[in-house]
Amino acid sequence: WFTGLVERHAQLNTWLEYGRKEMKSYNISNFMNPQGFLTGIRQEVTRQHKKDQWALDDVVTHTEVQRFDKENVKTQEEEGQNIHGLFIEGAKWNRQEGKLDESEPKKLNMPMPVVYVTAMTSRSLKDQQAFGPQGPYSAAVYKYPQRNDRYLIFRILLKTLEHPHHWRLRGVCLIAQVE
């Protein structure tokens, strides 16, 4: 637990001293309230689209799984943030094809690459067809391995070529802290 405390302090201290432009990616598991961080992202993006008349009630979290790890994040987008520190359980993420694949034998948790988190209107989200022919798999992201509403952070849409029920039956989810 002490290592986690030191990492949390380092992340928050860097953010405080140098601002968010120095933070290329945030470790979501270092936040005591990751839902508050994600709400802040939605609020910030909504303010940036004030001229488009976006309302916070109409905005939803939008995610894009990247092909790289936190060490390879080069630039920061104008809106939204990169997060890391997530693990996928029950499947693995195919970085080359950008989709869910069957998990490797005897590997329960696989690290996920960086996830870009932003916001968009729910109307715009319905228009996207980038998740495969069957539609996306809506995976729950939990703070701890115990799966319940108390530890649910948010849901992430993941591209899949199989039907989403395929992954639901396997219990696929993302976890921020595996220990």
Side-chain angles (χ1 to χ4, degrees):
W1 66 269
F2 187 73
T3 305
L5 179 65
V6 171
E7 288 175 3
R8 180 176 293 134
H9 175 266
Q11 175 174 296
L12 295 176
N13 194 45
T14 302
W15 191 8
L16 178 66
E17 287 187 23
Y18 302 107
R20 57 169 246 193
K21 291 299 176 190
E22 283 296 313
M23 299 293 294
K24 303 284 188 220
S25 181
Y26 293 88
N27 188 338
I28 192 100
S29 63
N30 284 345
F31 289 112
M32 296 301 277
N33 181 11
Q35 296 92 334
F37 178 71
L38 296 170
T39 300
I41 291 173
R42 285 199 339 260
Q43 289 173 336
E44 185 177 83
V45 172
T46 302
R47 280 190 212 108
Q48 290 173 339
H49 288 273
K50 188 176 184 178
K51 65 181 182 326
D52 300 327
Q53 298 182 346
W54 282 21
L56 188 57
D57 292 339
D58 298 333
V59 173
V60 294
T61 302
H62 173 68
T63 56
E64 296 173 14
V65 181
Q66 305 298 310
R67 296 179 187 263
F68 45 83
D69 290 321
K70 67 177 179 154
E71 296 82 18
N72 299 326
V73 176
K74 301 287 189 248
T75 60
Q76 178 63 35
E77 299 288 335
E78 287 296 318
E79 54 182 52
Q81 295 293 328
N82 292 311
I83 62 170
H84 66 275
L86 295 174
F87 296 85
I88 189 165
E89 184 176 294
K92 73 174 181 178
W93 186 256
N94 183 328
R95 293 176 189 230
Q96 286 72 32
E97 297 179 31
K99 67 177 184 73
L100 283 173
D101 270 345
E102 296 293 336
S103 61
E104 296 177 15
K106 298 186 181 184
K107 290 194 178 179
L108 183 60
N109 300 310
M110 301 289 292
M112 284 289 287
V114 168
V115 177
Y116 172 65
V117 180
T118 187
M120 63 177 20
T121 60
S122 52
R123 187 176 48 241
S124 300
L125 188 63
K126 290 177 185 175
D127 294 340
Q128 284 203 337
Q129 299 299 321
F131 293 108
Q134 305 287 336
Y137 171 63
S138 177
V141 180
Y142 295 103
K143 187 162 178 75
Y144 303 111
Q146 294 85 5
R147 299 180 188 197
N148 60 40
D149 290 344
R150 182 176 179 190
Y151 301 127
L152 179 68
I153 300 173
F154 71 111
R155 298 191 79 78
I156 183 172
L157 299 178
L158 300 173
K159 180 180 177 183
T160 176
L161 297 180
E162 289 84 9
H163 197 279
H165 293 306
H166 176 83
W167 303 110
R168 190 169 296 122
L169 290 172
R170 282 166 173 65
V172 175
C173 71
L174 276 68
I175 299 173
Q177 295 181 6
V178 291
E179 288 124 21

